[in-house]
Amino acid sequence: MKFALKHAALALISLTLIACSSKDKLVLPDIENRISPKKVWSMQVGDGVGHYESGLKPLILDDKVFMASREGIVVSADLATGKRLWTFDLRQNAQVSAWQKLNLSWSEGNARIAGGISQGYGKLFLGTENGEVVALDAVTGSLVWRAQVPGEVLVSPAVGDGFVVVKLGTGTLLALNPDDGEQRWVFENEQPPLTIRGVSEPVIESGGVIYGNANGRIGVLLVDRGFQAWEETVATPKGSTDLSRLVDVDAKPLVVGGTVYTIAFNGELFALDLRSGQQSWKRDYASFRNMAISGSVIYLVDSEGRIYAVDRRNGSEIWSQTGLHKHFLTGPTVYKDYLVIGDSKGHLHWFDRNTGDFVARQSFDDSGFYREAVANNDYIVVTTRDGELVLLQTP
């Protein structure tokens, strides 16, 4: 029943966005490109994620980039050249158990990877909608272990402090041993009957697991035992429609200098003390997309496609950009002097991150972008729904 209601909520949001699109025709503002980001290389990673909601995004680790497709293909490539180093197919591994084979048969041979990629302890970690967590050797791509868990894994596992912590679609958090996948503890969380399809990615920091919930709350667990340290409300259901009463905390919490920054759909942007949960400040922004942070600035895309830069020290607004209002956007990515955001039509928008002004627009695969890009000091990597992985660079 909850599964059906989750999809109902997603459909309701989609219909709202379509209605907005139909009314405003989603015309992109005219801009003059002031920079020309260079396409260094591209490659195809399976069939991508298709039209499904997915937490999959690339991982840059040292001089390599890793990516996976929904059907089960995982690849490693040289970051500078795009040369493929190894490929792993989660559907064709000889160590699959009878239960896992049954899961694959039910899903027509599709591994349905939706959560990942995370890294730690020399391994890559992924989760699937079939209820599996998988660990691969980061250097060779060989399978280290795969563990069955009691629910869908829709976002990247959190890795650190000797644990791999997985958030299930039901809201439950599980801690696994990174060496063998053995379960260490479980923390169950009740979900409301109607939620957005998706969950907040957990974060391990300073001995705690920071998590967001579909009930509009954020909390911290002690990572070594799974005991709750605190939980606070950041959004309360209100309004007369199902959509207006959704309060999911689906954005990944940001943790900087002992402060947790979190935001909710139909909620607010909060700064909370990591140790106590005490509120430092809150501001009237709402979103379900991941945020980005650089120095003292938080960058966010709100629930309706408006883009903001906010001072993380006090919540004051630095700038706003409404040129993509009502467009369906990814979360933001900070890359050098720019803020980079994709949209569902395959456009990549570049902004001056100090002013919010448009500086460039590029067009890619019209299957569109579904998750924020990832970047390091030299490169930025974007992925489309159809599985195109593209490395870009600016001077």
Side-chain angles (χ1 to χ4, degrees):
M1 183 65 175
K2 287 187 179 181
F3 182 79
L5 288 171
K6 279 174 176 280
H7 280 281
L10 182 62
L12 187 59
I13 293 169
S14 299
L15 287 172
T16 302
L17 291 168
I18 291 169
C20 293
S21 302
S22 174
K23 181 179 178 181
D24 298 334
K25 296 185 179 178
L26 290 182
V27 176
L28 292 172
D30 293 329
I31 68 166
E32 180 180 348
N33 283 2
R34 289 189 260 156
I35 62 171
S36 300
K38 175 187 174 184
K39 181 177 177 179
V40 181
W41 56 260
S42 66
M43 68 185 302
Q44 189 68 28
V45 182
D47 295 327
V49 301
H51 63 277
Y52 295 94
E53 175 67 18
S54 180
L56 276 177
K57 57 187 176 184
L59 168 71
I60 295 175
L61 178 61
D62 300 326
D63 58 351
K64 300 178 182 67
V65 61
F66 304 90
M67 186 54 190
S69 66
R70 187 174 189 273
E71 78 264 30
I73 305 297
V74 188
V75 302
S76 169
D78 182 272
L79 184 60
T81 66
K83 179 183 177 182
R84 195 172 295 220
L85 302 174
W86 54 255
T87 301
F88 178 87
D89 190 338
L90 191 56
R91 301 164 298 179
Q92 299 177 2
N93 190 272
Q95 299 179 44
V96 175
S97 68
W99 174 253
Q100 290 157 347
K101 285 179 180 176
L102 184 59
N103 264 345
L104 285 175
S105 67
W106 284 343
S107 56
E108 298 180 344
N110 192 323
R112 301 202 298 171
I113 301 175
I117 302 173
S118 302
Q119 67 83 25
Y121 312 109
K123 304 176 187 70
L124 306 177
F125 300 96
L126 306 100
T128 79
E129 293 176 39
N130 293 336
E132 285 187 281
V133 181
V134 179
L136 304 178
D137 185 287
V139 175
T140 66
S142 59
L143 180 68
V144 180
W145 53 260
R146 59 195 302 168
Q148 196 72 35
V149 293
E152 298 175 307
V153 182
L154 303 176
V155 291
S156 300
V159 184
D161 288 357
F163 293 84
V164 176
V165 177
V166 179
K167 180 82 175 288
L168 304 183
T170 58
T172 295
L173 290 119
L174 290 167
L176 307 177
N177 186 323
D179 295 328
D180 55 17
E182 180 184 3
Q183 183 176 307
R184 306 284 287 276
W185 52 256
V186 58
F187 179 83
E188 294 186 357
N189 238 323
E190 262 191 54
Q191 296 278 82
L194 186 65
T195 73
I196 300 173
R197 171 69 171 171
V199 295
S200 171
E201 185 177 329
V203 174
I204 296 176
E205 180 72 30
S206 302
V209 180
I210 303 96
Y211 65 91
N213 267 338
N215 59 10
R217 298 176 71 82
I218 186 166
V220 172
L221 306 178
L222 302 179
V223 70
D224 57 345
R225 298 188 180 183
F227 295 161
Q228 189 173 71
W230 57 261
E231 191 176 73
E232 295 292 334
T233 298
V234 295
T236 303
K238 46 191 170 180
S240 58
T241 67
D242 288 335
L243 183 61
S244 67
R245 293 184 62 79
L246 291 171
V247 291
D248 298 56
V249 180
D250 273 2
K252 179 180 179 179
L254 298 174
V255 185
V256 180
T259 300
V260 179
Y261 301 94
T262 185
I263 196 166
F265 187 80
N266 288 325
E268 293 175 293
L269 173 65
F270 274 75
L272 305 170
D273 181 77
L274 175 60
R275 297 292 180 185
S276 65
Q278 183 177 355
Q279 176 186 312
S280 299
W281 54 259
K282 67 176 181 178
R283 296 293 181 269
D284 191 19
Y285 301 103
S287 184
F288 55 91
R289 301 169 174 92
N290 285 345
M291 302 179 288
I293 196 163
S294 180
S296 62
V297 183
I298 297 171
Y299 301 95
L300 66 95
V301 177
D302 78 3
S303 299
E304 295 188 350
R306 292 170 292 227
I307 306 163
Y308 297 96
V310 177
D311 191 317
R312 72 173 179 86
R313 297 166 294 188
N314 52 32
S316 62
E317 188 173 300
I318 299 170
W319 56 255
S320 64
Q321 170 56 258
T322 60
L324 298 177
H325 182 214
K326 295 184 180 178
H327 290 253
F328 196 74
L329 307 177
T330 69
T333 300
V334 174
Y335 171 61
K336 296 186 177 179
D337 294 329
Y338 310 107
L339 195 68
V340 184
I341 297 170
D343 69 26
S344 61
K345 302 298 183 183
H347 304 293
L348 196 65
H349 306 275
W350 295 70
F351 305 88
D352 183 320
R353 67 183 178 99
N354 295 311
T355 65
D357 295 334
F358 283 93
V359 295
R361 181 185 301 137
Q362 297 171 281
S363 295
F364 292 86
D365 183 339
D366 63 7
S367 67
F369 298 107
Y370 65 99
R371 283 281 165 174
E372 65 273 13
V374 298
N376 65 8
N377 291 332
D378 298 314
Y379 303 105
I380 183 167
V381 183
V382 298
T383 50
T384 68
R385 284 193 171 275
D386 281 352
E388 185 181 13
L389 180 72
V390 183
L391 185 85
L392 302 168
Q393 186 177 40
T394 61

